[in-house]
Amino acid sequence: KPSSTSALAPRALHPVPSAMLTALLPQRAPRGVRRAVRGYVSAVRPLRDYPRSAWQVRPASNLRHGSGAAASTDTSPWAASSCTPFVSTDTTTDDLILRISKAAAEDNVVLARRLCLRLLASGSDGDGVASLVPLAVWNALVCSHARAGDADAAFVLLERVEAMSPDGSHDVPPMVFEALLSGLVDSRRSAAAFATFQRMRTRALLEPNARIYAVMLKACGFAGDPDQALSLFQELASMEQPPPEARTELIIALTSRRRTTLEAFRRFSEAARLGDPLDLRVCSHLAFACGRGGLADEAKLLQRRMLAAGLEPTNKMRADLVQAFGGAAARLARAPGAERSSGHRAECIRLLSHAWRLVQEAREGGALPVEVYNALLSAYCAAGLEDHIVQLLGMGAELRCAPNAESYAIVLSALQGSPGRFHSVWAAMLGDGAVQPTPVILETALQVAATARNAKWARAVLELMFGAGIAPSEQAITSLKALPHDSEGRALRQVMSAFRSTGFAAQ
């Protein structure tokens, strides 16, 4: 029983049995009125599924405003708004149309739906009364439903608008399709957005404006289709100068794939020359692309642009930029002759120093965020600096950042080739009561123990997996069976047999 219309926001609309609504009509209401109400309910889903007590039929005096105590105690959905009662004889059709237009303009979807029901119930012919509503009001209803996220109801209303249009569907203005496309894209329904865009151009014979192109470029970013984004942007550029929001959405769409990341930075530099404002949204996508591809030069360019614009990077962006420098250092480490080249080592140190500057910036607010700490560990692991990895893992107290399960997973994954160092980090993790080994960590430890032919260690890991109900892989089981048949080997096989007898379920 909501107390205000804000509580009636269309979050989870469900079809309402038409009998509930027809019960609210006068007993002598014409059959055509009831049929019109049922059709509108089934098509547009106008109301939420309120409790049964909210649908009790009340006398007309209780539904009218200004009825004394009866009106003040009415908690039905109809009393939650300041509009006139549902069953009213003193409200004209023109007044209802004006109220519907006002509710649609204010994006008050629930009130607009209720007023439409009253309009359909105000005459003997529901469709005839609906035809009195101007097309501009129906267009506003489509836009309000689309902006509220109810694209299905917006489509139903759009079909009514197209059917009422004298020339087929040519009277539907572009703003209606713009609102509908924006609602679809914001709800991540990219396929439906592209279908509606095609329908607008073929059936409605409308040419999209720059704002619609920007919306579709955003849909390309969600769909991860940079080729379609480039095609749409070229269409827009052939007709007019693309606005800044279109260039922003193009850059974001180009960062969705690794192969178009450099093109995204080229467009980013072009937008800077044109004077486009810089925002954190496009910067976050560019930082992610830098971290994914290990693009150190592009990461430094992005840092300079953000510094000039006075933008403070988020912790997620700092982590992505740290990974960018780590990826560049990893490429240098894998280059031929890198181990013997002092220039490669110096360049690797220089790249990691950039990563440390980002870490120091993140520490200015207090403790180091764990996502930045894990990104730094990943950078050192990618560069192959095993000695520094273990040392960095022990600097958690100094950096005021306790390592979590992901931190240990990063380090242990990099130390699989060194069973001795792996075992020391493994023991430190088990000694840390705040960290529980994940299934991936347990499987990795079991593989390393089998490779080191350490049956005692393997049995301890298998017992942890037994307690957690985590089944080892077939590859690990095969490796464990090849261990020597000494006392530890026999104890290991007993645990394996007991574990297998339970179907690898926790006991």
Side-chain angles (χ1 to χ4, degrees):
K1 299 182 180 180
S3 59
S4 64
T5 54
S6 62
L8 303 177
R11 296 188 182 91
L13 300 179
H14 303 283
V16 177
S18 58
M20 290 185 178
L21 291 176
T22 54
L24 294 170
L25 297 174
Q27 294 297 324
R28 297 182 180 179
R31 183 177 301 176
V33 177
R34 296 175 179 272
R35 185 164 52 249
V37 171
R38 285 196 296 269
Y40 190 85
V41 170
S42 61
V44 188
R45 303 180 299 162
L47 296 172
R48 295 187 62 179
D49 193 5
Y50 289 101
R52 182 179 298 272
S53 60
W55 296 99
Q56 295 176 355
V57 179
R58 293 174 171 81
S61 60
N62 287 353
L63 291 173
R64 295 182 180 274
H65 289 274
S67 301
S72 62
T73 59
D74 188 4
T75 57
S76 67
W78 313 110
S81 173
S82 60
C83 65
T84 56
F86 181 80
V87 182
S88 176
T89 58
D90 55 358
T91 304
T92 64
T93 300
D94 293 339
D95 186 24
L96 284 174
I97 292 174
L98 289 175
R99 291 173 181 268
I100 293 170
S101 178
K102 181 176 182 296
E106 295 174 350
D107 287 341
N108 193 340
V109 177
V110 176
L111 178 58
R113 287 171 169 170
R114 288 161 48 189
L115 291 172
C116 284
L117 280 173
R118 293 178 54 205
L119 177 65
L120 293 174
S122 63
S124 60
D125 185 3
D127 292 335
V129 173
S131 63
L132 299 177
V133 181
L135 285 176
V137 177
W138 289 110
N139 293 337
L141 285 171
V142 176
C143 296
S144 63
H145 282 77
R147 286 191 291 267
D150 195 350
D152 296 330
F155 270 117
V156 173
L157 291 170
L158 178 62
E159 291 177 356
R160 173 179 283 275
V161 172
E162 292 176 340
M164 293 175 60
S165 181
D167 297 329
S169 60
H170 303 294
D171 288 342
V172 182
M175 62 171 291
V176 175
F177 284 99
E178 180 184 346
L180 184 54
L181 289 170
S182 298
L184 291 171
V185 173
D186 291 340
S187 59
R188 303 298 180 94
R189 298 171 62 179
S190 300
F194 282 110
T196 306
F197 182 70
Q198 186 68 17
R199 170 181 177 172
M200 180 192 70
R201 306 184 75 174
T202 57
R203 181 174 174 180
L205 301 179
L206 289 175
E207 286 298 326
N209 53 30
R211 292 189 299 273
I212 293 179
Y213 272 109
V215 171
M216 295 312 299
L217 288 170
K218 185 177 181 179
C220 292
F222 288 146
D225 192 352
D227 298 327
Q228 179 71 10
L230 281 171
S231 177
L232 290 173
F233 189 82
Q234 290 170 1
E235 287 183 15
L236 175 60
S238 64
M239 295 184 296
E240 60 179 287
Q241 178 67 23
E245 55 267 21
R247 285 190 289 269
T248 298
E249 299 300 340
L250 174 63
I251 294 171
I252 294 174
L254 291 174
T255 59
S256 62
R257 289 289 183 265
R258 187 187 298 267
R259 56 185 172 85
T260 53
T261 300
L262 295 180
E263 177 66 18
F265 274 95
R266 191 181 73 81
R267 299 282 181 170
F268 178 61
S269 300
E270 179 182 347
R273 288 194 298 270
L274 293 174
D276 291 354
L278 190 63
D279 59 3
L280 279 177
R281 181 167 167 261
V282 66
C283 292
S284 63
H285 284 83
L286 290 171
F288 173 77
C290 291
R292 179 186 57 198
L295 305 177
D297 294 336
E298 286 74 10
K300 289 184 283 188
L301 172 65
L302 180 61
Q303 283 184 288
R304 291 195 297 268
R305 294 278 172 82
M306 292 183 64
L307 182 62
L311 294 179
E312 183 71 17
T314 63
N315 291 329
K316 176 63 170 60
M317 293 176 61
R318 289 192 178 99
D320 290 333
L321 293 175
V322 168
Q323 289 182 349
F325 294 118
R331 280 200 306 271
L332 286 174
R334 292 192 301 265
E339 296 180 357
R340 299 182 300 273
S341 174
S342 59
H344 280 78
R345 288 194 296 271
E347 181 65 17
C348 182
I349 293 173
R350 187 178 64 82
L351 289 170
L352 291 177
S353 66
H354 285 288
W356 270 104
R357 291 194 190 99
L358 290 166
V359 171
Q360 295 300 329
E361 291 177 5
R363 289 184 61 194
E364 291 180 357
L368 178 66
V370 69
E371 54 187 336
V372 180
Y373 179 56
N374 290 340
L376 186 63
L377 287 172
S378 299
Y380 273 80
C381 292
L385 304 175
E386 295 183 0
D387 296 335
H388 298 278
I389 295 171
V390 178
Q391 182 182 0
L392 183 60
L393 188 63
M395 293 175 60
E398 180 181 348
L399 297 174
R400 297 175 61 187
C401 179
N404 57 9
E406 183 182 356
S407 308
Y408 283 105
I410 292 170
V411 176
L412 291 174
S413 177
L415 296 177
Q416 293 184 55
S418 303
R421 289 175 174 170
F422 188 102
H423 189 271
S424 63
V425 174
W426 167 264
M429 181 192 66
L430 294 181
D432 188 351
V435 178
Q436 294 295 328
T438 63
V440 176
I441 294 177
L442 289 171
E443 178 66 24
T444 303
L446 192 62
Q447 292 280 3
V448 174
T451 303
R453 304 184 67 81
N454 190 332
K456 183 178 180 180
W457 180 17
R459 180 167 60 87
V461 176
L462 197 61
E463 288 174 351
L464 290 175
M465 299 179 75
F466 192 10
I470 301 171
S473 64
E474 291 296 331
Q475 181 182 358
I477 292 175
T478 303
S479 301
L480 293 176
K481 289 180 178 179
L483 293 179
H485 289 266
D486 53 8
S487 59
E488 291 294 341
R490 288 191 297 271
L492 172 63
R493 286 172 176 81
Q494 289 177 357
V495 175
M496 290 175 58
S497 177
F499 201 0
R500 185 181 293 275
S501 65
T502 63
F504 297 109
Q507 296 296 314

